[in-house]
Amino acid sequence: MDGSVARPRPMLALGVRLLTAGTLATMAMLVKLAGTMGVHLAELIFWRQALTLIAVTGILLITGRFAQTKTTRFGAHFRRAITGITGMFFVYGAVTILPLAEATAISFATPFFAVMLSVVLFGEKVGKYRWGAVVLGFAGVLLITQPGGSGLVDPFGAAIGLIAAFLVAVISFQVQDLNKSENTWSIVFWFTLITTPLMGLFLPFVIQGHDSQTWLIILAMAGCGALGQILLTMSLRFGSAAVIIVMDYTSLLWATVYGAIIFSTNPTSMLWIGAPLIISAGLLIAWRERKLMQQASAKPVGDAA
């Protein structure tokens, strides 16, 4: 039985998700910092996956849950792994190309990509609230990226960031499907087990010698990735995504601070207009999803949605 939601403990879930946002923002900063020191993206992703695999496997063995990783859906896990590792290249690529704050803000486009995918893939009816959120969110993205304008955001980096947000939305549907039959820890385990050796194939072509400082940054990045994955899983054990997603937006504060202190970059003026629009769109979608879930749970079993 999947333990993705144990006892509902919303305050604990919000606290863990807040810590998750800070941890993953720190990981993004370390990815960018390692990139400035010449570490190849493929090598970074390998170490991030390898350390997460070790951490998750250790937790499963210590807690006696390793048997829960048994699966009859290897094909679904493999497809999720390929999409996931591709998404990581784009997510990390956006971080290395763009300033941290702008890359983070663009990543918030994921919820309204998910809305559009639900229409295209599943023929889901989307009402005025969620379509309004999509329009609002894209307006925010356009303000930040200013395509064709004189904005300071690299258009190639912005495109990479939007593709990353789209792929994260696709991955969310794959994980949602896996959650119907698979344990949460099993999903994380198979993702890292499949992708670590795949990334290992690239390692001989990209790995190079590093000084001790660079290795510390790489290990810290991988450690934050592993911890962030575990915290993310934990947050979903105690609260629904529609409720705790609000904490994800605090990563923009971390990104802004890291950008100013470590990389001496200040956000563009349009970020402060566009980011609130994107965040508002995400919150509107989360609010609407929660309302729809409440309405669905209140209806008789045979009632139409």
Side-chain angles (χ1 to χ4, degrees):
M1 185 175 183
D2 191 356
S4 58
V5 177
R7 302 188 309 276
R9 298 174 65 182
M11 295 308 296
L12 177 59
L14 288 169
V16 173
R17 193 68 170 213
L18 181 64
L19 186 57
T20 303
T23 302
L24 293 178
T26 302
M27 182 195 71
M29 177 272 292
L30 291 168
V31 166
K32 188 173 185 68
L33 188 59
T36 63
M37 303 180 80
V39 185
H40 196 280
L41 199 58
E43 183 183 353
L44 284 173
I45 294 175
F46 169 80
W47 293 118
R48 189 257 194 243
Q49 293 300 89
L51 192 58
T52 302
L53 175 62
I54 293 170
V56 170
T57 302
I59 290 172
L60 289 170
L61 289 172
I62 291 170
T63 58
R65 297 183 186 179
F66 194 77
Q68 294 180 8
T69 62
K70 184 178 180 180
T71 184
T72 58
R73 300 187 63 192
F74 181 78
H77 282 289
F78 185 80
R79 289 189 294 273
R80 179 266 187 272
I82 296 301
T83 309
I85 205 66
T86 304
M88 287 180 73
F89 269 102
F90 280 94
V91 170
Y92 288 8
V95 165
T96 57
I97 297 170
L98 296 172
L100 278 176
E102 278 75 5
T104 302
I106 292 173
S107 73
F108 295 155
T110 294
F112 48 88
F113 275 126
V115 170
M116 290 188 291
L117 282 170
S118 69
V119 175
V120 175
L121 297 179
F122 307 109
E124 184 177 331
K125 291 184 65 176
V126 176
K128 59 183 180 181
Y129 290 103
R130 286 188 287 177
W131 276 128
V134 169
V135 173
L136 190 66
F138 269 117
V141 170
L142 290 174
L143 282 170
I144 292 172
T145 59
Q146 300 180 59
S150 57
L152 299 177
V153 175
D154 184 332
F156 177 72
I160 294 295
L162 286 172
I163 294 171
F166 172 78
L167 287 173
V168 171
V170 173
I171 293 163
S172 69
F173 284 107
Q174 292 178 320
V175 173
Q176 181 178 311
D177 176 62
L178 282 167
N179 270 323
K180 295 175 182 177
S181 61
E182 306 293 289
N183 180 274
T184 302
W185 286 92
S186 175
I187 295 172
V188 177
F189 171 77
W190 283 106
F191 174 49
T192 53
L193 183 65
I194 294 169
T195 55
T196 298
L198 283 177
M199 294 309 303
L201 296 175
F202 294 96
L203 210 55
F205 305 100
V206 298
I207 195 169
Q208 53 186 303
H210 304 301
D211 58 29
S212 57
Q213 182 182 11
T214 304
W215 274 116
L216 284 174
I217 291 171
I218 292 172
L219 292 176
M221 178 279 302
C224 284
L227 179 60
Q229 187 73 64
I230 293 167
L231 289 171
L232 186 69
T233 303
M234 189 182 300
S235 71
L236 291 170
R237 285 180 58 82
F238 299 110
S240 68
V243 174
I244 62 180
I245 192 175
V246 62
M247 289 302 175
D248 291 356
Y249 298 119
T250 61
S251 60
L252 183 58
L253 300 176
W254 286 93
T256 302
V257 171
Y258 282 141
I261 295 176
I262 297 177
F263 302 102
S264 301
T265 56
N266 294 313
T268 62
S269 58
M270 285 293 100
L271 178 77
W272 303 116
I273 302 174
L277 292 180
I278 299 174
I279 292 172
S280 297
L283 292 176
L284 179 57
I285 291 172
W287 170 81
R288 189 57 181 165
E289 290 295 329
R290 189 179 182 190
K291 282 288 185 183
L292 290 173
M293 285 191 294
Q294 290 173 343
Q295 291 171 8
S297 62
K299 286 182 180 180
V301 175
D303 206 355

